Amino acid sequence: MNIFRTKDVSLGRTEMHRHLKVWDLILLGIGAMVGTGIFTITGTAAATLAGPSLVVSIVISALCVSLSALFFAEFASRVPATGGAYSYLYAILGELPAWIAGWLTIMEFMTAVSGVASGWAAYFKGLLSNYSISMPQALNGTFNPEQGTYIDLLPILVLTLVTGLVLLNSKAALRFNSLLVVLKFSALALFILVGIWYIKPENWSNFAPFGFGQIYGGSTGIMAGASLMFFGFLGFESISMAVDEIQNPQKNVPRGIVLSLTIVTILYALVTLVLTGIVHYSQLNVDDAVAFSLRSIGIGWAANYVSLVAILTLITVCISMTYALSRMIYSLARDGLLPRSFKQLSKTSRVPKNATILTGVASAIAAGVFPLASIAAFLNICTLAYLILLAYGIIKLRKDKGMPKEGEFKTPLVPLLPILSILICLSFMLQYSVETWIAFGIALVVGLVIYFTYGYRHSTLSE
C-alpha cells in the first residue's frame, strides 16, 4: 500500500472557463475574509482576551496568515492546479497528506458556511424583532424539543439562495459578491470616519489588561486573542481553489492573495483601534460590537446602516466559501478520492453542479439542525493543521524541484519562514480547549476512515 504516491497535476486539464482577473480574485478573497471576524469576533476578543491590545493580536495573526499566503503564492505559481493546499501537497508529499489537507479544508469551509448562515439568521431575526415579527417557535432554532424548536429555517433558506447563485455561473455569483463587498467597505469606512471623532484616549490607557499571555497553552492575553482573530482571516485560501477559472494563474493568484490579505489586515487594525477607543473594552462582549459602539455614542442611523450591511456581508462570506468548497470537492472527485459524480460539470455554465449542491445541502442541514458552539476554535484548529502541512510542503518543494524559475513567485528565507510558520501555528493550536481538540480528533478519524475504505481503492493513481 503506497499512501504517499504523488500525482502530476497539470494546468492544461481544466474544462472550466478561464475568465477571472486579479480584481475578481481580490474581491473574492475580501468577500471570504471580511465578515463574522470583523463584525462580531473583534468585540468578544477585546472584552475577554486582549483588551485594546487586540490590535497587536491582529498583527500577529496577520503575520501567521501572511507566511502561509507566501507559501500558497509560490505553490500557485509552480503547481497551478485547482484544489488549493490539497493539490499542492498531492504533487509534493503524496496522497495521504494531500487527502488530510483536503478533508480538513472541507471541514473548515463546511462548518464556516453553516456558522455564517446561522450568524446571518441571528442578525436577521434581530432586525425582524424591531418590527415585532418573529418566526414560529418550531422553525426558530436548532433541534431542541425541550424548548419547542426543531429546525432553524432562515439559514436553510439563505443557503438555498446562495447555492442557486453559485450554480448560475461563477462570474454571475462573483459579480453579486463584488456588489456586496463594496457595501461592506462602505459600512466599515463609515464606522471609521464617524467613530474617529469620538475616540477617548483614556479607553486605551490600560492597553494590555490581560498581558501578553503564553506562547503555548495560554487562555487569555495577546496570544490568545491572536489565536481567535485568526478566524477573521480564514477564506484567503479560497482564491487558490479557483485556479481552473483564472486568467494567467501563475501571476494572478499570488497577486490576488497578497493584495486582499494586505487590505484586510489594515482594515481590521483600524476598526479595532476605533472600536476600543469609542467604548471601553470591558463593554464589548456583544454579538454586534461595531453597531453597538455606534449606538453607545448616540449615532443610531449609522448603527442601523452597519447592522443592515452586516446582514448582507455574511451572505458574501457564504457565497465565497460555498464557491471554494464546491471546487474542493470537485478536485477530490476528479482524482477519485470521492465519488466521480461530484466532478460532473453543468453543460452551459461549466460549474461543478453536484459538488455545489452537496455543499449547499450539507451546510444547510448543519446550520438548520445542529447548534454550532465554539465554531471559531474548531475552524481554526482544522485550518492551522493543514497550514503546518503546507509549510513543510514548501520545504519539500524546494528540495525536490529546486528554486523557482524566472516569472514564478519566490518565498523568501526558506526554510526559516516555513519553520517559523509551523511554530506559530502550533502555538495557536495549543491555545484551544480540550473539547476543541476532541472534535478535531474525531473529524480526523472520520476522514482517515473515508480514505482507507473508499479513497485509496478508487484513486485515479490506483487505475
Side-chain angles (χ1 to χ4, degrees), residues 390-419:
L390 189 77
Y392 174 70
I394 205 75
I395 298 174
K396 188 76 160 47
L397 175 68
R398 290 288 183 89
K399 180 180 178 182
D400 294 350
K401 300 186 181 296
M403 298 292 287
K405 299 175 183 178
E406 185 177 351
E408 295 178 338
F409 186 88
K410 178 184 176 183
T411 301
L413 301 176
V414 175
L416 179 61
L417 289 188
I419 293 173

Side-chain angles (χ1 to χ4, degrees), residues 416-445:
L416 179 61
L417 289 188
I419 293 173
L420 178 61
S421 176
I422 290 171
L423 293 175
I424 295 175
C425 287
L426 284 173
S427 171
F428 284 2
M429 290 175 75
L430 292 173
Q431 306 286 329
Y432 300 126
S433 65
V434 174
E435 291 78 11
T436 302
W437 275 93
I438 291 173
F440 172 68
I442 292 172
L444 203 55
V445 169

